[in-house]
Amino acid sequence: MFEYDPVLFSRILTYVTLGFHVIFATLGVGVPLMIAIAEWMGIKRGDPHYTLMARRWARGFVITVAVGVVTGTAIALQLALLWPNFMQAAGHTIGLPMFMETFAFFFEAIFLGIYLYTWDRFKSKMKHFLLVIPIVIGATASAFFITSVNSFMNAPQGFNIVDGVLTDVSPLAAMFNAATPTKISHVIITCYLTAAFILGMIAAYKILRGNKHVYHKKALHMTMVSALVFAVATAAIGDLSGKYLHEYQPEKLAAAEWHFETETEAPLILGGILTEDNEVEYALEIPFALSILAGGTPDTEVIGLNEYPEDELPPLWVHYFFDAMVFIGMYLAAVSALFVLFNWQNRRNPLRKLNPFKSWMLRLIVLGGPLSMFAIQFGWIFAEVGRQPWILHSVMTTAEGATTSDHVDIMLWIFILLYAVLGVTSYLVLRKMFLHNPVEHELERRGIPYHTVE
Ligand code: HEB
Ligand code: HEB
């Protein structure tokens, strides 16, 4: 039917592994910040509801860390097995941040352990709060280091090539390359945004299902205010990522926008389909917008796909992934802004009845949860597929970096099985953890006054 091709199977296996890891890694980076904000508000307002929020989120967080570690270790294994030529060529150059990610993880894990076991052990609540800070730093540092590896793949520097061998290696120059600033900030801020929306989704779902406890309203308000801040920052940094692409990977930007002719006043293309002879049909065009995204002004010249030989171009379907990511970004910003606005109006003047807890509003927020996770996936697919055919941009192609060994197909099935087991188990554990221990019971057990309306 179709031939065994180790490169193809290596790519699929790497995608499945990274796609699965990124779900847990994103929460692993974002949730600690939300825990910290909740604990801080609990102390500042003297409100035990926020403190309980921090406690419950921290418990759920442990599960995502555990799965993150298993899948992360699977990646480390696979990198060596599936991309031996790449690892051999680039390993010394970019090994420093790869090692540092493990270090950041240990740092985080140590403090997480102490944090979890010292909830009621300190006289001063502030001391316990201080323990969450290294967790936030460690988690964010993981994203920082590993994303610098990915930046290196997109904008390699810090070495010379003599007869196909990488020499004069400078690990720091490799780590702090042209892609590093925008990639790292876009990844970190979208992890925060996604964590805020996933936690907001849970609160909105509870209220939608008829739970009247004020705990959920507080959780929803806090997550939506955070989400709004992160969504605005995401858009601002996304714009800078576009400017980075314009300068260093113009073919990726051109592929994202089906931009064939090099020209100024280039339009942004939304949706549409591409015909056989590269005509764009049924698309929505925003005049000048691509030039502005690329260089800040309409007279910025944007390089077109026609400048490149056919075999150095990424697949043009990345267009849809870029569009979907940007659309979701706008959606998340709009929904969180609407909620915050209604809530503010409602407090100032309850008679105007702009009730932020209307069921349509809650439904929009619930939908935002999965959408934000899809945007993470789409963003990575766009960034990675958009770099093809290169594994190391302009230095080594993906095919050159891959293994030639047999049996990658069997590995693929084994790992898919592993992820299915991990996915189902963590779902069941989380369900049991929270369903059998609802907020009401926990408040009662801890002797926190029970009031449903405020
Ligand atoms: Fe990751 C974990 C690797 C990507 C985030 N990781 C992990 C691990 C490993 C890895 C090995 C385990 C632990 C240790 O350290 O030992 N990764 C990796 C690789 C890659 C990655 C190789 C690619 C290339 N990550 C990633 C990303 C991110 C991350 C992209 C972000 C966004 N991780 C992370 C975290 C962690 C990990 C956060 C920890 C766990 C949890 O979950 O928390
Ligand atoms: Fe994003 C990627 C833009 C939203 C997630 N981004 C990306 C890129 C760009 C962009 C340009 C590429 C870069 C490179 O390659 O270097 N975004 C953007 C914009 C927007 C966005 C403009 C609108 C607002 N994103 C978004 C969201 C999310 C995301 C919402 C989630 C949530 N992205 C992402 C990711 C990625 C991206 C994850 C991959 C990594 C990097 O950075 O690359």
Side-chain angles (χ1 to χ4, degrees):
M1 199 174 67
F2 76 116
E3 242 169 271
Y4 173 77
D5 170 9
V7 182
L8 179 67
F9 279 103
S10 297
R11 292 181 68 179
I12 299 176
L13 180 50
T14 305
Y15 175 68
V16 174
T17 303
L18 278 170
F20 193 67
H21 180 60
V22 155
I23 297 174
F24 295 90
T26 299
L27 295 174
V29 175
V31 172
L33 182 66
M34 302 307 295
I35 297 174
I37 297 175
E39 190 169 5
W40 173 259
M41 304 237 324
I43 295 171
K44 282 295 129 183
R45 299 200 175 167
D47 185 334
H49 289 150
Y50 287 102
T51 311
L52 182 64
M53 238 174 256
R55 265 187 130 110
R56 287 174 68 91
W57 290 349
R59 259 183 261 141
F61 175 63
V62 175
I63 309 295
T64 64
V65 173
V67 182
V69 172
V70 178
T71 54
T73 309
I75 298 178
L77 263 171
Q78 288 177 11
L79 277 178
L81 287 173
L82 300 179
W83 310 102
N85 301 333
F86 165 67
M87 288 306 282
Q88 204 183 6
H92 336 268
T93 321
I94 204 64
L96 176 71
M98 278 195 183
F99 167 73
M100 292 297 284
E101 196 210 7
T102 308
F103 181 76
F105 164 73
F106 284 134
F107 181 79
E108 176 194 343
I110 290 167
F111 281 95
L112 181 60
I114 305 174
Y115 180 80
L116 289 172
Y117 285 101
T118 51
W119 265 106
D120 301 308
R121 305 278 164 91
F122 291 108
K123 276 233 169 60
S124 138
K125 289 191 171 145
M126 211 53 195
K127 284 211 181 106
H128 188 257
F129 170 76
L130 291 179
L131 283 171
V132 76
I133 293 175
I135 304 177
V136 176
I137 295 175
T140 302
S142 277
F144 181 97
F145 290 123
I146 207 66
T147 309
S148 78
V149 179
N150 183 261
S151 306
F152 173 78
M153 297 166 71
N154 283 279
Q157 66 174 40
F159 58 87
N160 268 322
I161 302 181
V162 183
D163 302 326
V165 179
L166 271 61
T167 56
D168 301 332
V169 168
S170 157
L172 281 180
M175 202 176 143
F176 295 99
N177 54 68
T180 306
T182 47
K183 267 214 188 262
I184 288 185
S185 40
H186 196 58
V187 166
I188 291 176
I189 205 79
T190 52
C191 288
Y192 293 162
L193 172 61
T194 305
F197 249 96
I198 296 280
L199 295 171
M201 166 190 80
I202 298 171
Y205 180 75
K206 286 281 179 192
I207 302 172
L208 205 55
R209 291 293 298 269
N211 191 314
K212 295 235 161 23
H213 202 287
V214 68
Y215 170 96
H216 299 295
K217 290 193 175 172
K218 286 177 183 167
L220 187 58
H221 184 233
M222 189 203 114
T223 50
M224 284 303 112
V225 172
S226 314
L228 178 57
V229 174
F230 300 142
V232 172
T234 295
I237 297 168
D239 180 65
L240 295 177
S241 298
K243 296 187 170 41
Y244 154 78
L245 288 185
H246 170 63
E247 217 165 303
Y248 293 92
Q249 294 179 276
E251 76 282 11
K252 197 194 272 183
L253 189 61
E257 289 306 324
W258 289 345
H259 181 65
F260 290 92
E261 297 295 334
T262 301
E263 60 183 11
T264 59
E265 307 188 346
L268 208 62
I269 295 183
L270 300 181
I273 52 169
L274 201 59
T275 62
E276 290 278 311
D277 31 60
N278 292 340
E279 296 288 333
V280 180
E281 275 177 9
Y282 309 111
L284 192 68
E285 282 195 18
I286 310 178
F288 310 137
L290 179 55
S291 282
I292 294 173
L293 175 64
T297 57
D299 56 345
T300 304
E301 188 174 71
V302 182
I303 296 178
L305 293 165
N306 293 345
E307 311 280 329
Y308 293 86
E310 191 98 13
D311 60 355
E312 283 187 21
L313 285 182
L316 297 185
W317 49 257
V318 294
H319 171 67
Y320 296 110
F321 285 84
F322 181 72
D323 274 8
M325 171 186 70
V326 173
F327 173 80
I328 294 173
M330 301 299 159
Y331 175 92
L332 300 178
V335 170
S336 51
L338 210 60
F339 177 89
V340 172
L341 181 76
F342 275 29
N343 202 59
W344 175 68
Q345 270 293 338
N346 193 39
R347 274 198 195 164
R348 256 185 14 150
N349 188 356
L351 293 179
R352 294 210 15 215
K353 286 250 162 60
L354 283 181
N355 183 356
F357 301 104
K358 278 257 195 300
S359 66
W360 61 265
M361 172 68 92
L362 296 172
R363 284 206 184 93
L364 290 179
I365 295 172
V366 170
L367 185 63
L371 281 182
S372 65
M373 199 50 96
F374 275 114
I376 296 279
Q377 298 278 340
F378 294 168
W380 279 113
I381 294 173
F382 164 58
E384 295 303 287
V385 177
R387 192 187 57 240
Q388 300 309 315
W390 305 107
I391 193 167
L392 256 188
H393 193 259
S394 302
V395 177
M396 178 187 273
T397 64
T398 307
E400 287 163 356
T403 181
T404 46
S405 90
D406 307 328
H407 313 310
V408 183
D409 47 350
I410 301 170
M411 257 172 82
L412 177 64
W413 300 123
I414 296 177
F415 276 106
I416 287 180
L417 192 72
L418 170 72
Y419 305 143
V421 171
L422 278 175
V424 172
T425 317
S426 44
Y427 171 75
L428 291 177
V429 172
L430 283 171
R431 223 177 88 108
K432 200 172 155 69
M433 216 168 184
F434 289 99
L435 216 63
H436 296 285
N437 185 18
V439 173
E440 290 78 359
H441 292 184
E442 206 169 342
L443 286 172
E444 212 169 312
R445 229 182 22 216
R446 295 182 191 283
I448 299 168
Y450 185 104
H451 44 164
T452 51
V453 265
E454 204 173 51

